[in-house]
Amino acid sequence: MILYVLRRLAAGLVLAVLVTMITFALLSTSFDDVASSIVGSGATPDLVQDQKAQLGLHRPLFAQYLDWLSHAVRGDLGLSYFTSEPVRSAIAARLGVTLSIVLAALLVTVVISVVLGVLAATRGGAVDRIAQGVSMLGYLVPNLLIAIALVYVLAIELRWFPATGYTPLSENPARWVSTITIPVVALMMSGVASLTSQIRGAMIGELRKDYVRTLRTRGIPTRSIVLRHALRGAAGPALTVLSLEFIQMLGGALIIEQVFALPGFGQYAFNASLQGDIPIIMSISLFGVLLVVGVNLVVDLVNGWLNPKARILS
């Protein structure tokens, strides 16, 4: 198991190098545009070249990448070209906003999906139709449309929640809940759709297996069979879907944060992309790769714990 983890981490580091290298190569085509944006609209070619020299963008491309990589390995992600703010501290300050929304959406998604999926698989009938209806709604309606509808109904018409803004949890917990409620609901809809369908299908498959019939003949209560045995067997595929939804929610946060004017990581990444702020874009690429590798590794380890047959022993 330890060797497996080390191999996955090594592969993840190689992937991070490749992705950031390709990203930097693609960004190199916009070096002149970035320098022009920093200097201003009235920039002359000489001023643009001087700005590129100040930023070090005139050097050979591979030398620039190695310089960035050597600093990134030490935790130095550089300074923003436009604000001179340290990228690492800027990301850390904004990541908390995004994670508070995404993790809250993920928690609510898990609770609703498990309840709906298990009830749909065990009871069928109207409950099953409701679960499938919720899944269909989540699949068909885009998160952006849901967000706009929720703002109109809950914030503008009913005035139950603020339409925009964010209050940190440490500052005012009640206000924090009110500011993230609509973004969380908008963000979790597609996740509930995917996870509910997965849990429902996996639970139906588990309940039809021979070991479940054996447990029933031994007089084991149905609730115990469902919650202690069948649900554990169905958790593996559901975890895979959940990991994908977590990554998708982080991407969806980019849109949600724009709609609700939230000062999070998604809005920071969006603005950096528009400006062509290379240190920020490179850091975001690195963070994205490491996040995907880390989430997949955790899911594999949890699957191995839930299902001994899936464990990697090498």
Side-chain angles (χ1 to χ4, degrees), residues 139-173:
Y139 280 126
L140 294 178
V141 183
N143 284 353
L144 180 59
L145 184 59
I146 294 174
I148 295 173
L150 290 173
V151 168
Y152 178 76
V153 175
L154 299 180
I156 297 176
E157 292 293 326
L158 299 178
R159 298 184 179 181
W160 289 354
F161 303 99
T164 59
Y166 177 82
T167 300
L169 174 63
S170 58
E171 183 177 315
N172 188 326

Side-chain angles (χ1 to χ4, degrees), residues 235-266:
L239 275 174
T240 302
V241 173
L242 187 63
S243 66
L244 297 175
E245 287 301 326
F246 174 67
I247 296 170
Q248 183 177 332
M249 284 180 182
L250 282 173
L254 187 150
I255 299 174
I256 296 299
E257 288 176 5
Q258 293 296 317
V259 173
F260 295 100
L262 301 173
F265 180 74

